Amino acid sequence: MPKAVKSSTRALPAVGYRITCADLHAHLYSVSLTVAQPARRQQVSLPVWIPGSYLVREFSQHLQGLQASQSGRALALVQLDKCTWQINCTPGQPLELTYTVYAFDRSVRAAWLDAERGFFNATSLCLRVHGQTHLPHQLQLAPSKKAPDWAVATGLPALKVNRRGFGSYLATDYDELADCPVEMGAFWSGQFKACGVPHRLVVTGATARFDGERLLADAQKICATQIAFWRGSSSLPAPFKQYIFLLHAVDNDYGGLEHRNSTALICKRADLPQLQAGPSSNPSAQQAEGYTTLLGLISHEYFHTWNVKQLRPSGFLRYDYRQENYTDLLWFFEGFTSYYDDLLLRRAGLIDDATYLKLLNKNINQLQQTPGRLVQSVAQASFDAWIKYYRVNENTPNATVSYYGKGALVALCIDLTLRAEGRGTLDDVMRQLWHLWCAGPPTRTTRVRSNAKSPALTPEGGFTEAGFLAVLQACAGRSLAPELSRWVHSTEELPLADLLARHGVVTSPNAAPLAQSLGLRLVPGTPGLRIKTVLHGGAAQSAGLAAGDEWLGVWVNDAHGAAQGWRLGQLDDLLLHASPGSELTALVSRDQRLLNLPLRLPPATGTGAVHTWRLTARDAQVLGQWLGTNAPATAR
């Protein structure tokens, strides 16, 4: 447990919140908000979104019982819109607002409360006080008598807390408050240092066989490798004095959200490392793959500490919590982070070349299986994230492309292009961008001066594509604007095979799974064959199959031309009754009607055949020059 902390070096807050676990079983937080010097017509609002997750989530839907008072006298509230209220106040008297918030969202983006744990982001609980968001904000966390064994974990600076972390915390402004999630519960906790910086790992929901020491050791390698990656040959410090991972393990979920000195993570409980029964015990291949996925998530969110929490697009320098904040650069901030999350696992020695190529192969095949890549550019996908990426429907793969997946492959193409031309690497570009960012005004926390000038990369102006191109050109010795135009702003295919071949990796066709060959995706975990998505241009679409159909069986002709009907228990049963390239009739149920749809199976080879990619290492030495660059630093 943390030692009791008391600090009086920071200014007293203008805005203070007291958070109480009002009812664990009703999932209700109680919030008391005090404004020391309210405006005559004071407005308050609850954010509609949380930075890092680009969807309007309407957090105010869970706020209830809002009341206002001054000196014990009740005041009237006027609701101005879905998330904003106004109170007519008497100047010079503190304003107090009280309300409750329903918290039953298990994700990393909102708030949760039950008898096992509490978790929240301030964007879900803490009203913004208009006109005072730039002033200090105090957060007081009250312990619950019904949860005497709970402790607190958060990246917020402690003002005065007890050994379990309950007490007062102080944020410099609302942005810092919103950027430091809070975890409460009887959690597992461990600590380590990476390059001299203290880190803490908090895990909730783990089983008794959870191997915390292994996760600590591997997280330490990730953090040390990344700090060394960004620092390069400079003496730049990490952009935080301490860091905390808040990891919640559940039966079946996955995700993360980056913050300035912490991250909130959620993973499958089975993916946590497990203590082995004996020296001869080895984790199953499935468990090992799941653990690699977890390490990739940790790597991804930690990399974001530099790439989007510090180095920010111009549209994110000042968050507007009341509406969408647009940028067409998520291909860089999410995509490039997705490129480096697995690559830095390799450089940290946590996976080998074969595993890295397997992960890369999976990303390439996912892109190739997305017809939307030929419809929407990755820059457009970035801008449309608010209405498309987080609003998935049956047509999503046909209409849009992932700025995570394709953005990572754009980063790969840039990196391999620079390496092939012998003028540097993407690593050099990323470090230079970071160093230029730190060379901003001396008012920033990190005061590092540089002779390089790039107004497009200063903290006032934010990151722009023009600034990125300028640094890229300085590294490459030529402009890469034509490549970026094709790879980012058009739907042209990426030159992956050629670039990989020049770096020791060959690509070859591999037989596609039957569902992909047909051009459809099934609803997982349900009995029968329920179609989730029909991909554009595939055999399923040509036959007239549609999302929502239940594929019951097939009609095929026997050797004498007589029709025979067969029920399908699973999709692979199809190949028991028909060979590739043959014709049959699919029997489907749609809206309680039975339909017979003529279907031609794609051939196994030749024109019309559907293939996936298979990556194979051909030249280990050349491959190692790419994957082994920046050997892992020694964590201390």
Side-chain angles (χ1 to χ4, degrees):
M1 299 298 177
K3 295 181 179 179
V5 177
K6 182 176 181 180
S7 173
S8 59
T9 60
R10 304 184 70 165
L12 293 176
V15 179
Y17 305 86
R18 177 179 170 82
I19 309 293
T20 305
C21 300
D23 192 325
L24 302 180
H25 298 305
H27 319 292
L28 291 175
Y29 285 106
S30 177
V31 183
S32 175
L33 164 59
T34 301
V35 184
Q37 296 290 334
R40 185 179 296 274
R41 293 181 176 82
Q42 183 63 61
Q43 292 186 9
V44 295
S45 65
L46 198 65
V48 304
W49 71 292
I50 181 170
S53 183
Y54 309 105
L55 178 68
V56 172
R57 298 185 182 275
E58 312 291 20
F59 295 124
S60 60
Q61 67 180 301
H62 301 302
L63 187 149
Q64 55 197 46
L66 180 60
Q67 297 181 3
S69 64
Q70 280 186 302
S71 302
R73 178 174 57 88
L75 301 178
L77 292 116
V78 178
Q79 187 164 0
L80 303 180
D81 57 33
K82 62 184 179 181
C83 63
T84 308
W85 294 262
Q86 181 172 290
I87 311 100
N88 292 331
C89 301
T90 301
Q93 295 183 14
L95 168 66
E96 183 174 2
L97 300 172
T98 59
Y99 54 95
T100 58
V101 175
Y102 177 70
F104 203 62
D105 185 327
R106 200 186 294 273
S107 76
V108 297
R109 300 175 291 266
W112 174 270
L113 182 64
D114 68 1
E116 300 298 321
R117 67 184 283 262
F119 171 85
F120 67 86
N121 293 282
T123 45
S124 291
L125 263 63
C126 298
L127 287 165
R128 296 173 61 251
V129 181
H130 292 200
Q132 301 195 33
T133 55
H134 63 291
L135 299 176
H137 286 53
Q138 181 174 310
L139 179 69
Q140 184 176 1
L141 300 174
S144 171
K145 293 181 179 179
K146 294 185 177 181
D149 58 342
W150 281 18
V152 173
T154 180
L156 277 171
L159 184 64
K160 183 179 181 181
V161 300
N162 63 21
R163 291 184 178 276
R164 290 188 292 122
F166 287 99
S168 298
Y169 295 83
L170 192 63
T172 56
D173 53 24
Y174 186 86
D175 281 347
E176 183 178 19
L177 180 70
D179 214 9
C180 295
V182 174
E183 179 77 41
M184 298 181 290
F187 45 70
W188 180 94
S189 178
Q191 299 180 7
F192 63 86
K193 286 188 177 182
C195 300
V197 181
H199 290 65
R200 185 183 181 194
L201 177 62
V202 167
V203 181
T204 58
T207 66
R209 292 182 53 78
F210 165 55
D211 189 348
E213 293 306 314
R214 180 182 176 189
L215 186 58
L216 277 177
D218 291 345
Q220 182 186 45
K221 293 177 183 178
I222 292 171
C223 296
T225 300
Q226 292 203 18
I227 292 174
F229 170 86
W230 287 103
R231 180 179 292 168
S233 59
S234 75
S235 59
L236 280 175
F240 44 77
K241 294 181 179 179
Q242 58 184 10
Y243 193 92
I244 184 166
F245 295 94
L246 306 176
L247 174 59
H248 182 46
V250 298
D251 178 57
N252 187 21
D253 205 352
Y254 172 86
L257 191 61
E258 68 275 4
H259 298 280
R260 62 179 62 191
N261 67 346
S262 65
T263 180
L265 309 168
I266 190 166
C267 74
K268 295 173 66 173
R269 192 171 289 115
D271 291 346
L272 290 173
Q274 304 295 316
L275 294 169
Q276 300 305 308
S280 61
S281 299
N282 291 312
S284 67
Q286 183 178 4
Q287 199 280 326
E289 183 176 345
Y291 184 52
T292 298
T293 300
L294 171 58
L295 294 180
L297 176 64
I298 291 172
S299 180
H300 182 97
E301 303 304 338
Y302 194 71
F303 196 87
H304 268 317
T305 313
W306 289 264
N307 193 34
V308 85
K309 297 311 298 183
Q310 293 287 323
L311 185 63
R312 292 192 190 184
S314 55
F316 289 177
L317 287 182
R318 298 291 181 269
Y319 293 124
D320 184 345
Y321 294 95
R322 296 174 295 180
Q323 62 184 3
E324 297 89 343
N325 291 215
Y326 291 100
T327 179
D328 62 357
L329 291 169
L330 294 182
W331 57 269
F332 179 87
F333 291 101
E334 292 292 355
F336 281 41
T337 298
S338 295
Y339 172 60
Y340 277 107
D341 55 20
D342 290 334
L343 183 58
L344 292 177
L345 288 186
R346 174 66 192 96
R347 294 180 183 172
L350 293 171
I351 58 175
D352 56 18
D353 288 355
T355 301
Y356 176 77
L357 290 181
K358 182 179 179 181
L359 294 169
L360 178 60
N361 203 154
K362 180 179 179 181
N363 189 23
I364 292 173
N365 282 332
Q366 286 177 338
L367 178 65
Q368 296 303 115
Q369 295 164 24
T370 304
R373 77 187 190 281
L374 304 175
V375 176
Q376 184 186 50
S377 74
V378 74
Q380 291 172 323
S382 299
F383 197 85
D384 285 343
W386 296 91
I387 58 172
K388 292 192 175 182
Y389 185 81
Y390 286 96
R391 298 186 185 275
V392 178
N393 59 42
E394 70 285 344
N395 194 50
T396 293
N398 296 320
T400 188
V401 68
S402 168
Y403 48 77
Y404 285 87
K406 186 174 180 181
L409 295 177
V410 169
L412 170 73
C413 288
I414 293 174
D415 195 12
L416 298 189
T417 296
L418 293 174
R419 292 173 184 274
E421 295 180 2
R423 296 299 301 270
T425 71
L426 185 58
D427 303 352
D428 302 323
V429 175
M430 299 300 289
R431 274 192 290 270
Q432 180 66 4
L433 288 169
W434 169 241
H435 294 180
L436 288 171
W437 183 264
C438 291
T443 55
R444 286 183 56 82
T445 302
T446 306
R447 297 180 175 88
V448 180
R449 304 307 301 173
S450 169
N451 293 327
K453 302 296 181 182
S454 181
L457 295 174
T458 64
E460 292 93 343
F463 177 93
T464 65
E465 186 174 319
F468 172 61
L469 276 170
V471 175
L472 195 56
Q473 179 171 342
C475 179
R478 68 173 182 86
S479 174
L480 269 76
E483 285 87 346
L484 223 62
S485 177
R486 296 195 304 271
W487 301 342
V488 172
H489 296 282
S490 82
T491 58
E492 184 175 318
E493 298 279 26
L494 300 175
L496 295 167
D498 177 63
L499 287 170
L500 287 168
R502 299 171 70 178
H503 290 82
V505 179
V506 295
T507 61
S508 55
N510 202 30
L514 183 56
Q516 182 186 340
S517 179
L518 291 169
L520 57 80
R521 297 178 184 175
L522 299 174
V523 178
T526 59
L529 303 178
R530 180 75 65 177
I531 297 177
K532 177 182 179 181
T533 296
V534 175
L535 300 178
H536 180 70
Q541 186 184 66
S542 297
L545 290 163
D549 286 353
E550 183 181 5
W551 193 348
L552 302 174
V554 293
W555 292 97
V556 295
N557 293 330
D558 62 16
H560 305 289
Q564 291 186 342
W566 297 92
R567 184 171 180 84
L568 296 180
Q570 57 186 6
L571 190 60
D572 286 343
D573 289 348
L574 189 63
L575 298 180
L576 297 176
H577 312 296
S579 57
S582 64
E583 296 182 357
L584 51 84
T585 299
L587 174 64
V588 303
S589 172
R590 180 185 302 167
D591 191 28
Q592 301 302 309
R593 298 176 62 223
L594 296 179
L595 304 176
N596 289 312
L597 303 176
L599 173 66
R600 176 185 289 274
L601 300 186
T605 59
T607 304
V610 180
H611 296 100
T612 60
W613 287 35
R614 182 174 61 214
L615 304 186
T616 306
R618 179 186 61 187
D619 189 326
Q621 183 175 0
V622 174
L623 179 63
Q625 293 173 359
W626 161 33
L627 301 186
T629 302
N630 296 337
T634 301
R636 298 185 296 276

